[in-house]
């Protein structure tokens, strides 16, 4: 059973648990408020002498991984993993803080807590509410500190000022925003000044955070300052040395073939003749070979022999024949999907996506009322649907985009509406808004699919599935889908300049994904 703490109470960690691998969860909420929750690693003078130990959304772990930001989970607004026996000796205190992002004061917060979990069991809890504060905009919730042994203190001390002031109180330095460089080089040719720290999926904590009784509040939108020095600028790409050629002379690299002859990388020095080609004649890479009895197609104007009779149209088209029926949804090829319909199981597809159909199929317009009666002008996620019913097969595509069938078995999946080609009508659909400051309409809208059935998503190019770690950032135009367990918030990157985005200045807002290991986000290699 968890030991209850009041403000000012302290205890040795060894009196709470024998373990040193701790889960620290903070739950804080308030009507209309969003919060930034951070951990300051302080030295013996209670100063942030090493800013690598300021753990927040933009720096989710310490150098040796002793302190890790885990994200919202198990009812906690934010959570951390702390491995006490791996913390370096110069770090004497970990101060867990919460600051209001935007307008508001701490007297507006509802019931909250800081809890410590070890070995899958909650061992300590400090509860608080807004009655303990007044006009403060930050609070130091609790400390883990080293005084001969590691101890816990329930602090609950309000602090005037936001995260900037709190950072300065601990001796940190707030990085100033630098003006965009006025260089003649095109924006897309410049390296972005900031990239989120590369993260691997954090291992599942052995301590196991049990579900908390409180409901998890909406994730915060982070606009906190960046600590100076937490990220290093991208190194300049090395330039290849230029060979010097005296005037009037032609430079030939050592080992290169004689002039006019082509040798691919890795080929021996000297004359190169592609396999099957006539000596002295060059066949471009990937050029077709000759039919039996036909001269080489590349030979300085050699006359082509007639196509042999066995290469008739039926033989040529065989490889494009209709794919055998698998189940209800069959990927015909990389850009075309086929749905096998029965009268009692209709599908919904993007209007105009029908390429061909066989059998008795009816097509009817289905408005955006299916998507929670939100129009495309309001949500940015509106889509015109058609309802396909009957017995037969319908082939669907959209501008030669790549298509993928995702089958749900009582599961949930988030997508953007632009990434949906078709889905089973049996699936439950819902439009959800991801809150965010600075966005038209106040947020980013996504579609949530639930139940058993299939969703066909489309991408521009081959997608990549990224594991969601402590913090994963994705351009809102590139995201296609993500797992329901991943927490998504809109965020304005503090150091990501316009050069980090393609063409449009409206792309300064991106999505931040956080979650436990096993969650993912699907990204397409395309910018609108």
């Amino acid at each position: 059973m968890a030991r209850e703490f009041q403000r000012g109470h302290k205890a040795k960690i060894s009196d709470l648990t024998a373990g040193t691998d701790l889960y620290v969860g903070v739950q804080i909420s308030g009507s209309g408020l969003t919060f930034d929750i951070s951990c300051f690693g302080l030295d013996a003078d209670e100063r942030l002498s090493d800013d690598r130990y300021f753990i927040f959304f933009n720096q989710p772990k310490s150098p040796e991984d002793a302190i890790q930001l885990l994200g919202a989970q198990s009812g906690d607004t934010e959570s951390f993993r702390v491995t006490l026996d791996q913390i370096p000796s110069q770090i004497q205190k970990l101060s867990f803080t919460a600051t209001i992002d935007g307008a508001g004061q701490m007297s507006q917060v509802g019931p909250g807590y800081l809890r410590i979990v070890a070995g899958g069991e909650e061992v300590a809890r400090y509860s608080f509410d807004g009655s303990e504060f007044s006009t403060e905009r930050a609070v130091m919730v609790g400390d883990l500190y080293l005084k001969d042994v590691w101890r816990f203190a329930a602090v609950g001390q309000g602090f005037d000022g936001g995260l900037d002031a709190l950072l300065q109180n601990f001796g940190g330095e707030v990085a100033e925003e630098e003006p965009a460089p006025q260089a003649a080089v095109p924006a897309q040719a410049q390296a972005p000044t900031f990239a989120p720290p590369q993260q691997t999926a954090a291992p599942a904590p052995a301590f196991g955070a049990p579900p908390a009784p409180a409901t998890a509040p909406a994730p915060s939108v982070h606009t906190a300052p960046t600590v100076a020095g937490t990220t290093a600028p991208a190194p300049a790409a090395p330039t290849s040395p230029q060979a010097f050629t005296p005037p009037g002379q032609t430079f030939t690299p050592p080992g290169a073939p004689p002039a006019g002859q082509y040798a691919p990388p890795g080929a021996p020095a000297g004359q190169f003749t592609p396999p099957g080609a006539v000596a002295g004649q060059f066949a471009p890479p990937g050029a077709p070979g000759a039919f039996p009895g036909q001269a080489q197609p590349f030979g300085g104007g050699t006359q082509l022999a007639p196509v042999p009779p066995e290469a008739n149209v039926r033989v040529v088209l065989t490889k494009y024949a209709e794919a055998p029926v698998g189940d209800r949804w069959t990927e015909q090829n990389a850009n075309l999907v086929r749905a096998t319909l029965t009268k009692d199981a209709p599908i919904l597809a993007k209007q105009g996506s029908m390429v061909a159909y066989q059998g008795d199929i009816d097509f009817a317009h289905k408005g955006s009322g299916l998507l929670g009666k939100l129009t495309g002008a309001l949500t940015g996620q509106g889509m015109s649907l058609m309802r396909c019913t009957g017995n037969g097969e319908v082939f669907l595509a959209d501008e030669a985009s790549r298509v993928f069938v995702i089958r749900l078995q009582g599961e949930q999946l988030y997508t953007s509406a632009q990434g949906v080609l078709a889905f089973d009508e049996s699936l439950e659909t819902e439009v959800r808004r991801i809150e965010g400051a600075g966005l038209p309409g106040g947020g980013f809208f996504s579609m949530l699919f639930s139940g058993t059935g299939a969703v066909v998503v489309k991408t521009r190019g081959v997608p990549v599935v990224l594991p969601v770690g402590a913090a994963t950032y994705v351009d809102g135009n590139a995201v296609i889908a993500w797992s329901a367990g991943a927490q998504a918030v809109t965020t304005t990157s503090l150091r990501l300049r316009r050069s980090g985005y393609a063409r449009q200045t409206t792309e300064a807002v991106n999505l931040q994904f956080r979650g436990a290991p096993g969650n993912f986000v699907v990204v397409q290699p395309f910018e609108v």
Side-chain angles (χ1 to χ4, degrees), residues 305-321:
V307 176
E310 59 269 20
N312 58 44
V313 65
R314 183 174 296 276
V315 173
V316 172
L317 297 181
T318 297
K319 63 181 178 179
Y320 303 113

Side-chain angles (χ1 to χ4, degrees), residues 2 5 7 35 69 72 79 92 100 109 143 155 167 175 195 253 264 312 365 373 379 405 425 454 464 473 500 514:
F5 282 71
R7 179 194 292 185
F35 298 86
L69 186 74
S79 62
Q92 301 281 299
I100 295 177
V109 305
D143 294 338
V155 180
L167 181 61
N312 58 44
H365 175 71
K373 298 182 179 179
T379 66
V405 179
E425 192 178 47
V464 60
Y473 298 82
R514 297 177 296 179

